[in-house]
Amino acid sequence: MANATITAPATERLQLLRVLGPAHIWALGVGIVLVGEYMGWNFSVGKGGMIAGLAACWVAGLLYTCVAMIDSEVTSTIAAAGGQYAQAKHIVGPLMAFNVGLFLVMAYTMLEAANAITVGYLLDTVAGMMGHTGLNQKPFIILSIMFLAWLNFRGVLATLTFNLVITAIAFLAIIALFVSVQLGASAVPMDFSAITTSPLPYGWIGIVAALHFGLWYYLGIEGTCQAAEEVRSPARSLPYGTMAGIMTLLIAATMTWYVCSGLLPWEYLGQAGTPLFDAARVTGNAGLMVLLFVGTMFSTLASANGCINDASRAWFSMGRDRYLPSWFGAVHPVYRTPYRSIVFLVPIALIFALGAPLDQVVTFSILSGLLGYTFMTFNMVMFRRKWPLDTIKRGYVHPLHPLPVIVLLTLCAAAYFAVFLGYGTQLSAMMCFYIVASLWFHFRRYQFVRRGDQFTMPWPKPAGY
């Protein structure tokens, strides 16, 4: 009888493997986001000019620094798969948790689709440079998503080790371009005359509008939280990996703006598909062109790879907790990955990658992320009120509370206005989508939620559990 009691829990549910360290967390966070330096951010220059693009870079950097600090405290304490979803489940309640989980899944799935679109566009561009026009991009889009889904299916350690290597190469490519241009490797001199001749072509409102795409520099750094249940030491690895990640991205974003704004006319830069690669082409240096081609490819693959990892963990967690059909909460018996969630999300990413324009996909991802960041502000306040600093053990305590919360909420409000200026219809449509999803959860799935079983932390339970 004693043996039966001991062995029963082991057969009830397979667990995810705890195999990751701080470097893997850095690779997950930076790997998802670094593609934002290679494409997408430059639309902010088109919205307001070069100065607006730089302002958006740094203001968005402040927003995401607040996100990283808040996430590091809460997730290093609530170390469970699903990241912000798990936070909402423990701190707020089921309806908020469902919506946050959906925000995460849609943000990462749309980002994955944007990455696949960029892979196809880049290969088409290179083929055109070599005299082969009219390349069919769709097979490459499908192949990239399918290959990365297979890699995620086979195991998290191999997936994020792969991310670590290719992310490091993509980051070094940005540094190499910056240093080479500074040392005179470019056939075209740096030219910042547009700062004086066209400082704000659309006025001060252009700075606000540019914030929309300035978020793309950093969107996804919060994805480090999704691996909380697969980290060997969450209290150490999550804060280190996340904070090192945001510092890396701040450096990369500033260098990216500097090089691209100095080498490319702002009118072209504001609508370029692969700005860093285009900047390397302008230098006339074949070695830099090859390096930035590799960097662009690796950054898109690393981002899509991390997005599959994060979206599947959020979807898996929601299935495990019965917010979605429990079929999605299965773990592969050999690879110990949420394989059903990985497979299920592949066709959704393909539909958007094959059928939607890049700026629309980017906007969908940004808006989903913004909704998640808005939640963080209320979540952090409730977390501190329900469990003050001296009542539970924390892996990391972010400083100056509640200042980061106030700054984050203010910048989120500004970002919503920025999106509304250019994509008001999409903003309204997305809000309607999430309202309908919330109604579906309330009337169809809430009855299956076992709220009392979801509180897995060894703390005093709040009211309602």
Side-chain angles (χ1 to χ4, degrees):
M1 181 66 71
N3 289 338
T5 303
I6 293 172
T7 58
T11 60
E12 288 179 1
R13 176 184 290 175
L14 288 172
Q15 301 294 322
L16 301 173
L17 291 175
R18 291 191 175 274
V19 293
L20 305 178
H24 295 101
I25 298 302
W26 175 89
L28 177 60
V30 177
I32 289 176
V33 185
L34 196 62
V35 69
E37 273 67 6
Y38 280 89
M39 65 89 173
W41 68 270
N42 52 298
F43 296 149
S44 64
V45 175
K47 289 286 185 180
M50 289 170 59
I51 292 179
L54 181 61
C57 170
W58 286 345
V59 172
L62 177 60
L63 185 154
Y64 278 92
T65 299
C66 295
V67 168
M69 290 194 298
I70 291 171
D71 261 349
S72 292
E73 175 171 335
V74 183
T75 308
S76 64
T77 310
I78 304 176
Q84 293 80 8
Y85 159 78
Q87 298 172 19
K89 181 180 69 175
H90 285 85
I91 299 171
V92 184
L95 183 59
M96 178 60 78
F98 171 79
N99 278 282
V100 170
L102 199 57
F103 299 157
L104 291 168
V105 171
M106 295 310 297
Y108 293 129
T109 304
M110 294 305 103
L111 178 51
E112 176 191 346
N115 292 324
I117 293 171
T118 303
V119 169
Y121 174 83
L122 178 63
L123 291 175
D124 187 21
T125 300
V126 173
M129 292 170 58
M130 300 176 66
H132 304 286
T133 58
L135 180 71
N136 187 354
Q137 300 179 23
K138 291 183 178 180
F140 299 99
I141 292 173
I142 296 171
L143 182 62
S144 60
I145 291 177
M146 295 296 291
F147 166 72
L148 295 174
W150 171 81
L151 188 63
N152 275 268
F153 187 98
R154 293 296 298 267
V156 68
L157 182 59
T159 297
L160 295 189
T161 300
F162 173 71
N163 250 40
L164 177 60
V165 174
I166 64 176
T167 298
I169 294 172
F171 178 61
L172 291 174
I174 296 176
I175 295 176
L177 178 62
F178 175 81
V179 172
S180 298
V181 169
Q182 292 299 103
L183 295 178
S186 173
V188 176
M190 300 286 283
D191 180 10
F192 294 95
S193 60
I195 291 179
T196 56
T197 58
S198 301
L200 292 171
Y202 305 120
W204 289 99
I205 196 67
I207 293 181
V208 179
L211 182 60
H212 172 188
F213 289 106
L215 300 179
W216 200 245
Y217 277 115
Y218 314 98
L219 181 70
I221 185 62
E222 71 278 5
T224 55
C225 302
Q226 302 302 315
E229 206 168 302
E230 296 162 279
V231 175
R232 291 189 294 270
S233 176
R236 172 177 174 268
S237 298
L238 289 169
Y240 281 170
T242 303
M243 298 308 291
I246 190 63
M247 287 187 283
T248 302
L249 293 168
L250 286 166
I251 294 170
T254 304
M255 289 193 298
T256 296
W257 176 90
Y258 177 81
V259 172
C260 292
S261 296
L263 292 176
L264 300 171
W266 77 268
E267 298 90 345
Y268 174 82
L269 179 60
Q271 50 83 42
T274 52
L276 273 172
F277 178 64
D278 289 344
R281 291 170 62 188
V282 167
T283 66
N285 187 308
L288 287 177
M289 280 190 278
V290 172
L291 180 60
L292 269 296
F293 167 76
V294 172
T296 305
M297 285 294 295
F298 280 4
S299 68
T300 54
L301 292 174
S303 181
N305 195 34
C307 286
I308 294 172
N309 180 90
D310 286 356
S312 63
R313 266 62 182 177
W315 199 259
F316 156 79
S317 298
M318 294 168 74
R320 186 172 61 179
D321 293 331
R322 298 174 179 269
Y323 287 65
L324 296 171
S326 57
W327 184 83
F328 292 112
V331 174
H332 195 280
V334 176
Y335 304 122
R336 305 286 283 276
T337 55
Y339 66 107
R340 289 177 181 169
S341 297
I342 292 171
V343 172
F344 175 79
L345 293 173
V346 166
I348 299 175
L350 287 173
I351 288 170
F352 283 91
L354 295 173
L358 179 60
D359 64 332
Q360 299 284 352
V361 175
V362 168
T363 298
F364 199 157
S365 182
I366 287 173
L367 284 171
S368 298
L370 271 177
L371 289 168
Y373 309 147
T374 305
F375 147 77
M376 286 183 194
T377 61
F378 303 103
N379 183 64
M380 187 68 238
V381 172
M382 293 180 68
F383 182 55
R384 285 285 183 98
R385 286 182 178 176
K386 289 184 176 182
W387 296 283
L389 291 180
D390 296 332
T391 59
I392 61 174
K393 183 178 180 181
R394 286 166 162 81
Y396 167 83
V397 177
H398 83 268
L400 304 176
H401 180 77
L403 183 58
V405 170
I406 296 170
V407 172
L408 178 57
L409 185 59
T410 302
L411 294 180
C412 281
Y416 283 121
F417 180 64
V419 174
F420 178 77
L421 290 175
Y423 294 83
T425 302
Q426 289 83 346
L427 177 60
S428 300
M430 278 198 58
M431 296 305 294
C432 291
F433 167 76
Y434 284 118
I435 289 171
V436 170
S438 296
L439 293 172
W440 173 84
F441 173 76
H442 177 76
F443 290 107
R444 299 301 299 270
R445 290 302 308 177
Y446 192 90
Q447 59 184 315
F448 300 105
V449 174
R450 298 174 181 173
R451 191 176 183 190
D453 295 340
Q454 294 173 11
F455 196 89
T456 57
M457 298 293 109
W459 312 333
K461 290 186 177 182
Y465 282 91

